[in-house]
Amino acid sequence: MENTPERTERKKRLFSAIQPSGEMTLGNYLGAIRNWVAMQDEFDCIYATANMHTITVRQDPKAFRANTNKLYALLLACGVDRSKCLLFHQSLVPAHTELGWVVSTFTQFGELSRMTQFKDKSQSHADNINCGLFAYPSLMAADILLYQADAVPVGADQKQHLELTRNIAERFNGIYGKTFIVPEPYIPKLGARVMSLADPTKKMSKSDENTRAFILVTDPPATIMKKFRSAVTDSESCVCRGENKQGINNLMDIYSAVTGKTDEEIVAEFAGKGYGDFKTAVGEAVIAVLEPIQRRYTELCADMGYIESCAREDAAKAAALAERTMQKVYKKVGLVR
């Protein structure tokens, strides 16, 4: 593992961020945020709401600002503990965009043009294919390199971006000497890929036009149950995995993620029972997990002044860490600071 002289932390440092582009889905929680909570005991964690990234798509300013603060409250409600990590809004630490510009000059046009996320978003937002959308991965690299992160949790859709980050760090270090830690991918222990309830061949997404396709962490219990009971399955009745049973496979993944039960235990539990019983059980299990999160979230949202003060307090601490990197980078490239 590469290191820099000032690093004295006993734990390895980890960076991760999530966009405040709307409400959090069950897929976001089980696939990412639940791991944020688990990782904060193992790593020196720095977490952020990536609101600078979000504006590559046009936002309503008032709703966007509110969503950013609500996401912060929801992260706290999910168990992110500020006594164990830093949690702040990306826009509160100007060094993110400052380093983003420097990093962009060490990012090749061809590298950015090969990013699959740019191609996908260009199709879904054809009326606004802006420079920020294209340079998005450079800013993401800066987010990570700014804090000298040793590790970054990655899913299948983020591997390409982390590989670019590693390339940029190695390129910069090759020119100016050891400056950035080259981050390693970290595969979380509680990985869960949650698919759409309406089309289990696609990942669950809040942007889906069919509102029954996704579960929001803030959905009322009755809504959650209704969505699970309408989940697409197959014409069989056996609760077990199968090549053409994507709907049941997805429901088994969700049930396993929230109960900790193995496939064998799930199959035994629902032997001789139909899909209706299984869907109800999945809904009840998810409701039980989300209920305390929803209760705490409601409490936190009652005092947005507190939420804003928390974000600013942690941003000040993050900015102090970021300044160490910025001083080093500016000195290496010859910029006056």
Side-chain angles (χ1 to χ4, degrees), residues 5 11 50 54 70 117 138 144 146 165 197 208 237 274 291:
K11 294 180 179 179
T54 309
K70 285 180 180 179
Q117 192 174 59
S138 292
I144 298 165
L146 186 61
T165 301
L197 298 182
D208 199 310
S237 59
E291 192 276 331

Side-chain angles (χ1 to χ4, degrees), residues 141-335:
D143 295 337
I144 298 165
L145 299 177
L146 186 61
Y147 300 104
Q148 303 292 353
D150 297 293
V152 180
V154 293
D157 55 347
Q158 294 299 329
K159 289 180 181 178
Q160 192 182 32
H161 285 157
L162 182 59
E163 193 56 40
L164 175 64
T165 301
R166 289 171 54 82
N167 291 342
I168 293 169
E170 289 170 347
R171 185 175 297 140
F172 193 99
N173 290 350
I175 298 171
Y176 297 107
K178 189 180 293 183
T179 307
F180 296 119
I181 287 178
V182 180
E184 298 287 343
Y186 176 75
I187 307 301
K189 297 179 177 68
L190 301 174
R193 183 174 172 83
V194 180
M195 310 304 283
S196 163
L197 298 182
D199 181 0
T201 64
K202 300 191 305 183
K203 188 176 178 180
M204 180 179 285
S205 171
K206 58 180 172 283
S207 61
D208 199 310
E209 293 181 359
N210 184 351
T211 57
R212 292 182 299 176
F214 56 86
I215 301 290
L216 296 177
V217 171
T218 54
D219 273 343
T223 300
I224 294 173
M225 185 60 73
K226 185 176 181 180
K227 289 181 179 180
F228 272 116
R229 284 178 174 160
S230 67
V232 170
T233 52
D234 52 81
S235 58
E236 298 179 15
S237 59
C238 175
V239 177
C240 60
R241 290 192 182 276
E243 186 176 341
N244 297 312
K245 294 168 69 70
Q246 292 95 336
I248 288 298
N249 294 343
N250 185 38
L251 292 177
M252 287 181 69
D253 285 339
I254 295 171
Y255 193 59
S256 175
V258 297
T259 65
K261 294 181 179 180
T262 64
D263 282 359
E264 291 76 14
E265 290 171 330
I266 296 171
V267 171
E269 181 181 355
F270 293 95
K273 297 181 180 179
Y275 286 171
D277 292 328
F278 182 47
K279 289 179 180 181
T280 297
V282 177
E284 289 174 345
V286 169
I287 289 168
V289 167
L290 296 184
E291 192 276 331
I293 293 174
Q294 294 178 349
R295 185 171 62 249
R296 179 59 178 152
Y297 173 65
T298 300
E299 294 170 356
L300 288 166
C301 284
D303 187 359
M304 278 301 170
Y306 169 74
I307 294 301
E308 291 179 1
S309 67
C310 288
R312 292 185 182 281
E313 184 178 312
D314 280 12
K317 295 175 183 177
L321 293 174
E323 180 61 18
R324 299 180 195 174
T325 298
M326 293 309 303
Q327 286 185 1
K328 185 183 301 182
V329 169
Y330 269 44
K331 182 177 181 181
K332 291 286 180 73
V333 300
L335 288 169

